[in-house]
Amino acid sequence: MALSRGLRCCQRVFSWIPVLIITSVVLWSYYAYVFELCLCKYWCFAFSVVYLLIFHVCFVMFSWTYWKSIFTPPASPCKKFQLSYSDKQRYELEERPDAQKLILVEIAKKLPIFTRAQSGAIRFCDRCQILKPDRCHHCSVCETCVLKMDHHCPWVNNCVGFSNYKFFLLFLSYSMLYCVFIAATVFQYFLKFWVGDLPNRPAKFHVLFLMFVALMFFVSLMFLFGYHCWLVAKNRSTLEAFSAPVFVSGPDRNGFNVGIRKNLQQVFGEDRRLWFIPVFTSQGNGHYFPLKNRSSESQNPLLANEDMWEESDDGSEEGSLGESL
């Protein structure tokens, strides 16, 4: 027990290493750009002021979105998806697997659950003892079930899911903008470095490494950001792109695809003025998502109204469906 606890503690400490690497690179880039380039008069005063203003806007938005991606806790299913004491006793005392599946099916009838396991059974997490909502998966690193889990990202040391997916996308976009701005403004001095016209000062090495690091990160981020833009347009998570969600009718990769406009609104919200600001504006509460084929919803009387299981006006998670349960 003590050994496993010690290993777990070491794992948690080492999991912050990728975050420290990114933070160190960004802090160095801030020092190199601001103090070694702008304040050392590589540019004229007017250019330095303009570049510093734009640079700090990019730096603040990058830092803000990175912070939100790291420290926004992953959302977990609410208590309605946990087994009650009596249901848990029935499930544990029942030794026949088929009978256990029937117990879960009976409980799931009261909940907005439409996806199934590969075997066709109700998706149940033995570790968390909950019925998994649609698009919910258990993260072995975070040791919890995460709503609309996309993936566990070591670079933010957090699960990317319903609660922080918008922040993660903005982090990628502002990271690209940060790299592009640095590369674009340093490029002319990078050329001078190669032809030997740059003054022999320590800043010339910062110019070389700024250009190299900015381009390297931009290329890697460009592919990752493009992939996630495609996922948003299709309304898929990374896990769903590799393994199609299974419904009663069978697997369907486009089961949650309700059109590009509505897909974007699910992640960024309806107010476009807030799309590029790292504040939570995603629709719903992560327990229920509209389906491409609405016929299956009509089979459940609790979901006859499409507004059910949405957040209520007072901000509570359960909404009208939660009250009916």
Side-chain angles (χ1 to χ4, degrees):
M1 178 69 81
L3 179 61
S4 62
R5 189 175 301 174
L7 291 174
R8 195 173 302 169
C9 183
C10 291
Q11 182 186 8
R12 291 176 180 173
V13 172
F14 286 122
S15 65
W16 285 100
I17 291 179
V19 175
L20 292 177
I21 292 174
I22 295 295
T23 303
S24 300
V25 171
V26 172
L27 290 178
W28 164 78
S29 69
Y30 182 90
Y31 165 79
Y33 193 89
V34 174
F35 293 96
E36 293 293 341
L37 293 179
C38 290
L39 298 185
C40 285
K41 299 181 180 179
Y42 265 86
W43 296 295
C44 66
F45 178 76
F47 276 118
S48 295
V49 170
V50 173
Y51 287 167
L52 279 174
L53 286 174
I54 299 175
F55 174 83
H56 278 90
V57 170
C58 296
F59 179 80
V60 168
M61 296 307 296
F62 164 82
S63 302
W64 189 4
T65 54
Y66 193 42
W67 176 275
K68 296 284 284 186
S69 298
I70 295 173
F71 294 106
T72 300
S76 299
C78 67
K79 293 182 179 180
K80 294 296 180 181
F81 289 82
Q82 296 177 356
L83 295 183
S84 64
Y85 179 78
S86 59
D87 289 333
K88 188 176 181 179
Q89 289 290 102
R90 288 171 54 205
Y91 183 80
E92 291 179 348
L93 293 175
E94 182 58 64
E95 297 179 355
R96 296 170 298 171
D98 291 339
Q100 287 182 329
K101 291 180 180 180
L102 290 177
I103 293 174
L104 296 179
V105 169
E106 180 184 344
I107 301 171
K109 289 180 179 178
K110 306 173 185 178
L111 298 169
I113 296 177
F114 299 102
T115 55
R116 299 290 185 265
Q118 292 293 334
S119 62
I122 298 295
R123 299 191 311 134
F124 180 73
C125 181
D126 291 318
R127 295 183 180 181
C128 300
Q129 291 291 296
I130 62 167
L131 279 75
K132 294 181 182 179
D134 293 345
R135 318 185 82 173
C136 175
H137 298 273
H138 185 88
C139 176
S140 58
V141 180
C142 297
E143 298 181 342
T144 186
C145 283
V146 179
L147 294 176
K148 196 189 176 185
M149 180 178 173
D150 188 87
H151 68 288
H152 185 91
C153 180
W155 298 108
V156 300
N157 191 28
N158 198 4
C159 255
V160 178
F162 174 76
S163 61
N164 64 347
Y165 189 55
K166 174 188 174 182
F167 306 145
F168 179 74
L169 290 175
L170 292 179
F171 159 63
L172 294 180
S173 60
Y174 284 118
S175 299
M176 290 176 57
L177 185 63
Y178 184 75
C179 292
V180 167
F181 177 76
I182 289 177
T185 52
V186 171
F187 182 69
Q188 56 179 317
Y189 296 98
F190 180 75
L191 293 179
K192 290 182 179 181
F193 174 86
W194 283 109
V195 298
D197 291 341
L198 203 63
N200 190 19
R201 289 190 288 182
K204 70 177 186 179
F205 296 103
H206 290 289
V207 169
L208 174 64
F209 288 113
L210 272 176
M211 189 70 187
F212 175 75
V213 171
L215 288 178
M216 180 182 67
F217 275 92
F218 171 76
V219 171
S220 59
L221 288 167
M222 179 179 62
F223 288 105
L224 183 60
F225 181 69
Y227 176 67
H228 277 280
C229 287
W230 178 78
L231 290 177
V232 172
K234 296 291 185 180
N235 204 340
R236 298 176 192 168
S237 66
T238 300
L239 294 176
E240 291 165 353
F242 285 96
S243 179
V246 179
F247 298 88
V248 177
S249 57
D252 186 0
R253 292 187 183 276
N254 296 312
F256 297 105
N257 188 354
V258 290
I260 294 180
R261 180 171 169 272
K262 291 184 178 180
N263 292 343
L264 287 171
Q265 288 178 348
Q266 281 189 25
V267 177
F268 295 100
E270 296 184 1
D271 191 349
R272 295 187 180 183
R273 295 171 297 180
L274 300 176
W275 278 18
F276 300 101
I277 301 176
V279 294
F280 185 80
T281 55
S282 301
Q283 292 180 338
N285 57 19
H287 294 82
Y288 161 72
F289 298 92
L291 303 177
K292 179 185 69 172
N293 184 5
R294 302 299 293 269
S295 60
S296 58
E297 297 180 31
S298 62
Q299 297 174 6
N300 192 335
L302 289 173
L303 297 170
N305 186 343
E306 66 178 12
D307 293 329
M308 287 184 172
W309 197 248
E310 298 292 336
E311 291 182 343
S312 59
D313 294 336
D314 61 355
S316 63
E317 285 190 348
E318 297 173 5
S320 54
L321 180 59
E323 296 170 0
S324 65
L325 293 176

